[in-house]
């Protein structure tokens, strides 16, 4: 994907999250950006990447997934500082950390995490500009 912006949608979600939870979180993250942000992949914590809801969303959107290990998640500085996320995953936001880790070196958050209306999923968007 050289020569332009690479956008990654990062997700954090509870075990009971549905595809609708994930879709709604993504929709909220993209609000105001539709048509301007082409998402390259969906990212989440490695232990969540194989869940049915996450895999179904990736199939519906025809996007690859990135499974981010816990060390890579905790290494990412996130603008959001959720105490629940800090306790559970040692990061301020799983969605933001996953998006940043998958986007790669010099990535930045373009949309901080948003929470699905049912409270079951979060989504954040990160961008890396390739020269």
């Amino acid at each position: 994907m050289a020569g332009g912006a690479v956008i990654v949608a990062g997700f954090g979600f509870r075990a009971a999250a549905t595809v609708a939870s994930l879709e709604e979180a993504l929709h909220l993250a993209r609000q105001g950006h539709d048509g301007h942000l082409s998402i390259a992949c969906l990212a989440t914590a490695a232990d969540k990447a194989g869940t049915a809801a996450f895999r179904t969303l990736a199939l519906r959107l025809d996007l690859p997934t990135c499974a981010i290990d816990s060390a890579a998640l905790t290494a990412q500085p996130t603008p959001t500082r959720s105490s629940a996320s800090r306790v559970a995953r040692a990061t301020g936001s799983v969605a933001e950390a996953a998006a940043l880790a998958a986007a790669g070196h010099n990535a930045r958050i373009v949309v901080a995490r948003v929470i699905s209306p049912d409270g079951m999923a979060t989504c954040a968007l990160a961008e890396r500009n390739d020269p």
Side-chain angles (χ1 to χ4, degrees), residues 45-115:
D47 63 314
K48 299 277 190 163
T51 64
F54 188 72
R55 290 178 48 205
T56 299
L57 179 64
L59 288 171
R60 283 185 185 175
L61 299 175
D62 193 27
L63 289 172
T65 61
C66 296
I68 309 300
D69 66 42
S70 59
L73 286 176
T74 60
Q76 304 303 316
T78 63
T80 300
R81 305 226 189 301
S82 162
S83 57
S85 184
R86 179 72 55 200
V87 168
R89 297 283 183 159
T91 183
S93 166
V94 173
E96 291 171 0
L100 288 167
H105 187 66
N106 291 328
R108 66 182 182 89
I109 293 293
V110 292
V111 177
R113 80 159 189 179
V114 295
I115 303 170

Side-chain angles (χ1 to χ4, degrees), residues 1 3 14 16 19 24 26-27 38 46 69 79-80 88 95 99-100 106 111 118 123 131:
M1 301 225 176
R14 297 173 188 254
V19 177
E24 290 169 352
L26 179 59
H27 174 73
S38 179
D69 66 42
T80 300
L100 288 167
N106 291 328
V111 177
D118 66 3
C123 181

